[in-house]
Structures are given as structure tokens and as C-alpha cells.
Amino acid sequence: MVDRHPRQNPIDARPWTFYALGMLFALYMLFLYGPMLVIYTLSFQGPNGGVTFPIVDPSLDWFRDVWRKGQMADIPAAFSRSMALASVVSFLTVLISVAGGLAFRRPFRGGGVVFYIAISSLVMPSLLVGFGIGLGFQFLGLQPSLFTSALGAQLTWTLPFGLVTMFAVVNRFDRSWEEAASDLGATPFQRLRYVTVPILLPGILGVALSAFTLSYDEYARTTLTIGARNTLPLEIYALISSQTTPMLFALGTLTTAVSFLLIGTTLLFLVQTQQRRQWHRGPDVEPVGAWTRDTTSNL
Amino acid sequence: MDAQAKLYEIPKARAIRRRHRRLPAWTVSWLQILPLTAILSLMFALPTALFLAVSFFDYDRTGIYPAFLLDNYREVFTSSSTLRVYGSTLKFTLVVWAITLFLGFNIAHFLIFHVRNGKVRIVLFLLCAIPFFTSAIIRTIAWIPFLGRSGAFNQALMGLHLTTHPLDFLLFSDFSVVVAYVHLYTPLMIGPIANSLSKIDRSLIEAARDAGASRWQTMANVIIPLSKTGIALGSILVMTQVMGDYFIVRQMSGGQSASIVSALSTEIQAMQYPPAAANAMVLVVIVAVMVGCLMRVVDIRKELVK
């Protein structure tokens, strides 16, 4: 739209930069998805095939191998630990960072300090966070475990992430809706329950999804805080050095499928919410732009 | 009165009484922010202070002892292998930053300004964003069967008769480390820059056009200055990720290269906590200075919290 020259036909006039950037984008997509597609394909390798092409007698053997409890790893147990931790992280992140995002809507004393602590926690090299927590537990004579040290370590990453996402979400929230609710006699709780939360729901879901997937795949903050029993990414990490079979690829395909399933479900739900609102409200000025910004801010 | 109306209805007197009892605004804010502050203090600020303290401690093979020594820091600054690792990490950071900035800016620009259909834009944007929410470990090792000596890329090159011998530099080299970094972290650049670009008022660009600015002049004088928040934010995310990495550099260089954090994790595994902590503090200071400089370019707080 920028490059539309006023004297040219606006529909036909695509500047050369459009084609150049379009090409760059296509190549980037190839770069982004190419290697992933290679390992998805290779996970269907036959029992006698190797870790590269060609595929000899395609089979599901390596997927079965994932399920088998080996000497090195217990994948199903690690997977259930990861799911449990990610659920708790996601729940806490939503509660705490949504509240935090609401707090920052008005300036308050000490807000700056909290903000900079959150940003520092976000940019801190991940392993160092785990190192510090691990040291702390050692000094206190505590055993690191899934729902103490590992949970805390992951929250130092998902909470600031959720908070920054909430900033973008509440920035576009029109406070007159809340004022209207109060003027009509709503209690603070009713105002939150029936006005604020429903309006912010797409953003809140974005926070929940990002917290879940970030926790589910986290390894750098968790590795020194997990104790004896690994989460799935750490189990995969341990397998990399020992396992040189396509089983690793099958495992990669499965864990990515779980992420895709979660992302897909959330997106579907968001699209439905959006459509339902559209239907109630009638044609909107620019729902699409707002939605893009929502999604962008989730990064 | 039906059920729904009842739900919303509140006796007026009660509402007024409540209004009188309302907590002051700053108390509400603090109650809302308290859980976040508590968790970050306990799990981030306190542990950081702890390894700052440990970095001055004494140690031997059996344990660590409270002391105030500068030896651990002296070791960091005088050991040539440590300095080499710092140099190598900074080099990777710079190279990856330049590439992700180029890719991120151009892709964001394409999505925001060139894609006209809003739905197509969302789909393309999601295609860029979704891999960020999948496993970084899997996305890293996905390059191994792709770039290896008998990998898919070499097979394709030889199939097309572009080369007779498989290319060796593709995997387990600095090249493959950079490829994996760019692959993982470009979405961190695209997101914030696209966010900044989408906020630019289109009429400003039209005004530049009308005033006779060329495409490049518009880019240099209007679009880039207006997207500098996104550029700074993306740069912070990418740089800190590369500086904090220990897995990718080890995995993709086949153990030939090290990063600051991978050297540090070796020390941690050897239970040499004080030198590891000194190393960590130096890294934290470098990251803080870098982020601080970028924050001087834009006031991130003012941009984020409106």
C-alpha cells in the first residue's frame, strides 16, 4: 500500500520491491519449515534405515520405539511431567500477569522498579537463573524438584513474557467500559467478571497459550532446577548425545505435533470468538488489524 | 425481573456505600502487582544476588567457603581461553543480530505494507510465529539430517550437479551455528518490528511521497525512524538469546566451539561454583550494558506502558 504510486492503477501497480520481498519471504518460509519437514519425513524411516535419506521401507517403528521404556529414558513419564508443569505454569502466569497488566494501567509508586525487574528477568541468560536457584536450594539444604525450583525457574521467564503481552492487550482497552459498568452500579468484582475479563479474553488466552508452550519446551532454566526426574525437553537433550537413530526424529515429530495441536485449538477458539463478536456487533471498522496487533504482541 | 437482570442489579444504597469504602488506587495497584513482584524477587533477584556473593567465595575440590576474593574475576580476565570464548560469543551475537535484523525488518515490512489482504496477512504472520512456540531443541537438531555430509541439502546439490563432492562446511561449523541461531531467533525480530510498523500512520508515508521523497528516502527518513522501538526490542531479544545460549553452539559446532554459558555450564558440572559465578556476573554486566544502551535508543517503558 505504501508503494502505490498515485498515478498508477492501484490494483495492478505492484512495485518491484513487492516481488523482491515476496521472494525473500518465500525463501524464508522454506528456510523455516524445510529442515523440520525433513525430520518429520525421516521419522517414518524403516527399521533398517539410517538418519538420512533415502527412506528404506517406511514404517511406524520409531514411533513405537518412543513409547518403549528404554534404559536411557522414560519418554511417557517425562511427557506427563512436562504437561503437568506446563499446566500449572500456564494457570499461574495467567492469574499473576493479568493482574500485573491491570496494575500498570495507572502509574503507581514503585512501578518502575517492578517493570525493570521483569525486563531483567526476561533478558537474563536462562541457565544463570537456574544456576542461582540451584545454589539457593543447595544453601538451604532443599532438594530441587518439579513443582518448587523448576516451577519457580520457569515462572521467571513466563511471567515477564505474560506481563509484556498484557501491556499490549490493556493498551487497547477502553476504560470507559469499566466506568460505565461502575456507573450502572456494578461491584468491582462484577465489573471484572462481566466487563474487563470478557473484553480481554483473546489476549488472556494468548498469554495462557504462550506460557504453556514456552514451559513445555523450556530446558535452559529447568536443567539445573529439576532434580532427578527430567521433563521431556531435558529427556530429549539427554538422548541427543546417546541416540543416533530416527527415534529422535519420531520423538521430535510427536512433541511438535502436541505444540501444533495446542496452538491450532487456541487459534480456532480465538477465530470463533472473534466471529461471534463480529456477529453481535455488526460490521466493524477494522477487526483484522486489531487482531494482527494482538497476535504480534504475543511475540 | 428475569434471572439475568437480577444478576446485574444492585441496590443503589449498597453501591454507594461500596464506593465510599473503596481502597485507594495505589493500594489496588500494589495488590495486583504483589504476586508478580514476590515471585520475581524470590526466584530471580535473590538467586542473582546469591551468585554475585558466591563469585567472591573460595573453593576447593570438596566445597565452597565464604570469603571475599577477587581471584575468580582475575581468572576470567586473564585466562586466554576464557577471553577467546567471550570473543567468539560476541562475534556470533553480532553476526546473528545483523542477519536477523535484515530478515526480520524486510519480512515485517512485506507483511505490513505489501500484503493487502488482512486475512492473508494474519495467515502469513502466523506461519512466521508458530515455530517460535515449538521446541527449540527439535528445531536445532532438525538441521543435522538436512546439512550433514549425506544430508538432504548435499544430496539435492549433487542431484542438481551443482557440486561433485558433498560440502563439508555445512554442518558442525560456525556456519551451521549461525544458521541455527537465525532459524530460531528471526521470529523474535519479526514480531516487535511488525508491531511497530503496523502502528505507523499511512498518511505520513503518503505525505512523504507527495513531498517528492523517493522510496529509499521514505524508508530512511520515515519508516525506519518510526520503527526504531520494534528494532530495539527485537535486537534486545535476539542478542540476549544468543549471549545466553549454550546448547546450540555446542550441538551445531559438534563440540568445536564454546560460548560463555557453555563454558560456564562445564564449570558448574565440575562443581566449581565460584569461578562459574564470576563468569556469570561478567556476562550479566555485559548483557546489562548492551540492553541499557539499546534502552537509551528508545524508552521501552514509555512505549510498552501507555
Side-chain angles (χ1 to χ4, degrees):
Chain A
M1 265 172 257
V2 192
D3 297 298
R4 191 189 295 166
H5 200 277
R7 265 162 296 175
Q8 284 171 317
N9 182 341
I11 299 299
D12 300 329
R14 290 288 202 183
W16 66 269
T17 47
F18 168 78
Y19 297 100
L21 290 177
M23 194 64 155
L24 181 78
F25 186 82
L27 286 174
Y28 176 68
M29 283 293 117
L30 212 61
F31 171 74
L32 198 58
Y33 287 96
M36 288 160 81
L37 292 176
V38 168
I39 70 155
Y40 303 155
T41 318
L42 281 174
S43 53
F44 293 96
Q45 181 69 282
N48 299 317
V51 288
T52 48
F53 288 110
I55 288 190
V56 191
D57 308 323
S59 73
L60 293 173
D61 278 33
W62 301 108
F63 287 99
R64 266 191 292 266
D65 222 34
V66 171
W67 251 231
R68 215 168 290 142
K69 200 170 157 181
Q71 306 150 307
M72 280 302 297
D74 186 355
I75 303 296
F79 173 74
S80 59
R81 276 193 287 272
S82 275
M83 286 304 258
L85 182 59
S87 309
V88 175
V89 166
S90 179
F91 176 74
L92 289 178
T93 304
V94 166
L95 270 188
I96 296 171
S97 63
V98 168
L102 294 178
F104 273 101
R105 290 188 298 174
R106 43 183 126 67
F108 61 97
R109 191 184 287 267
V113 177
V114 176
F115 176 82
Y116 285 112
I117 289 179
I119 295 294
S120 313
S121 182
L122 194 66
V123 302
M124 180 79 154
S126 304
L127 190 79
L128 303 190
V129 176
F131 178 41
I133 295 175
L135 274 178
F137 269 62
Q138 203 164 339
F139 279 146
L140 296 174
L142 299 169
Q143 283 300 317
S145 74
L146 192 64
F147 288 111
T148 54
S149 47
L151 174 67
Q154 293 202 343
L155 286 176
T156 64
W157 164 234
T158 57
L159 286 183
F161 197 94
L163 185 69
V164 171
T165 310
M166 283 312 293
F167 286 156
V169 174
V170 297
N171 271 349
R172 276 178 289 107
F173 180 81
D174 188 351
R175 289 205 86 169
S176 54
W177 290 105
E178 280 187 336
E179 280 159 26
S182 293
D183 289 346
L184 290 171
T187 62
F189 176 75
Q190 283 176 319
R191 193 178 62 196
L192 188 71
R193 167 74 185 76
Y194 297 104
V195 179
T196 317
V197 169
I199 294 177
L200 296 181
L201 191 65
I204 293 174
L205 268 176
V207 173
L209 173 72
S210 358
F212 193 99
T213 54
L214 291 178
S215 157
Y216 176 71
D217 293 320
E218 218 289 324
Y219 62 95
R221 284 172 199 242
T222 327
T223 180
L224 296 174
T225 51
I226 189 67
R229 274 170 286 173
N230 279 346
T231 56
L232 187 58
L234 294 170
E235 207 77 342
I236 296 174
Y237 188 102
L239 275 176
I240 290 174
S241 46
S242 64
Q243 202 94 355
T244 42
T245 63
M247 183 271 222
L248 202 56
F249 302 151
L251 183 54
T253 306
L254 286 175
T255 175
T256 312
V258 171
S259 301
F260 279 158
L261 204 69
L262 279 165
I263 298 167
T265 316
T266 314
L267 286 177
L268 211 68
F269 185 79
L270 285 180
V271 169
Q272 270 179 352
T273 317
Q274 208 71 21
Q275 277 169 351
R276 206 168 49 235
R277 284 188 186 175
Q278 200 68 27
W279 188 80
H280 282 299
R281 187 169 49 192
D284 200 9
V285 192
E286 207 214 340
V288 162
W291 207 79
T292 320
R293 253 170 275 133
D294 237 351
T295 337
T296 333
S297 56
N298 281 348
L299 268 181
Chain B
M1 190 189 292
D2 62 36
Q4 205 176 12
K6 211 171 210 163
L7 198 62
Y8 292 108
E9 190 253 8
I10 297 175
K12 214 175 226 162
R14 227 177 94 206
I16 290 167
R17 204 166 59 230
R18 265 169 202 281
R19 204 159 291 173
H20 283 294
R21 264 198 308 174
R22 214 193 259 170
L23 293 164
W26 67 268
T27 319
V28 175
S29 282
W30 262 105
L31 285 176
Q32 285 170 332
I33 203 70
L34 200 65
L36 186 116
T37 316
I39 290 181
L40 290 186
S41 306
L42 199 66
M43 289 295 175
F44 165 70
L46 210 61
T48 307
L50 191 64
F51 72 69
L52 170 65
V54 169
S55 69
F56 298 108
F57 281 16
D58 195 5
Y59 72 105
D60 62 18
R61 266 183 220 143
T62 50
I64 59 178
Y65 312 102
F68 188 81
L69 301 173
L70 292 172
D71 293 19
N72 300 315
Y73 286 97
R74 203 169 297 135
E75 213 173 300
V76 173
F77 290 112
T78 51
S79 142
S80 66
S81 66
T82 311
L83 291 179
R84 211 168 29 244
V85 166
Y86 273 80
S88 141
T89 299
L90 289 176
K91 183 191 73 189
F92 277 127
T93 307
L94 219 62
V95 171
V96 172
W97 173 70
I99 299 174
T100 51
L101 179 59
F102 174 81
L103 279 176
F105 186 85
N106 281 297
I107 287 163
H109 187 264
F110 176 77
L111 290 176
I112 302 296
F113 290 127
H114 285 283
V115 179
R116 291 172 186 172
N117 183 319
K119 285 210 173 90
V120 174
R121 185 186 307 154
I122 289 172
V123 170
L124 294 184
F125 187 82
L126 286 175
L127 280 177
C128 293
I130 284 172
F132 179 71
F133 295 100
T134 67
S135 169
I137 294 184
I138 297 301
R139 286 207 290 144
T140 306
I141 60 165
W143 282 102
I144 293 173
F146 189 83
L147 290 179
R149 211 180 134 78
S150 52
F153 192 66
N154 266 327
Q155 281 178 358
L157 285 183
M158 302 216 301
L160 294 168
H161 298 292
L162 289 171
T163 165
T164 49
H165 306 289
L167 302 176
D168 275 328
F169 75 89
L170 291 177
L171 189 60
F172 301 139
S173 59
D174 284 358
F175 174 79
S176 54
V177 176
V178 171
V179 165
Y181 279 143
V182 171
H183 184 230
L184 285 175
Y185 301 140
T186 306
L188 293 176
M189 216 34 128
I190 298 177
I193 296 180
N195 191 35
S196 280
L197 289 178
S198 70
K199 285 183 193 149
I200 295 178
D201 188 349
R202 302 295 167 104
S203 56
L204 288 175
I205 291 158
E206 274 165 38
R209 258 309 131 72
D210 292 346
S214 73
R215 212 193 304 284
W216 298 116
Q217 283 172 323
T218 314
M219 182 61 101
N221 299 318
V222 181
I223 298 177
I224 289 179
L226 286 175
S227 58
K228 71 178 189 202
T229 312
I231 293 174
L233 211 56
S235 303
I236 288 177
L237 292 176
V238 170
M239 285 175 159
T240 53
Q241 286 295 315
V242 178
M243 304 254 344
D245 164 67
Y246 65 99
F247 166 69
I248 294 140
V249 72
R250 227 185 240 167
Q251 191 59 38
M252 295 310 283
S253 73
Q256 292 169 44
S257 297
S259 70
I260 302 174
V261 182
S262 79
L264 203 149
S265 81
T266 313
E267 287 173 332
I268 294 174
Q269 269 157 10
M271 309 270 255
Q272 298 170 334
Y273 296 137
N279 228 328
M281 275 323 294
V282 176
L283 177 61
V284 167
V285 170
I286 295 177
V287 169
V289 167
M290 230 163 56
V291 173
C293 287
L294 282 164
M295 298 254 249
R296 285 188 77 89
V297 178
V298 284
D299 185 347
I300 290 189
R301 178 153 188 247
K302 218 171 78 192
E303 292 289 340
L304 288 174
V305 195
K306 288 234 168 83

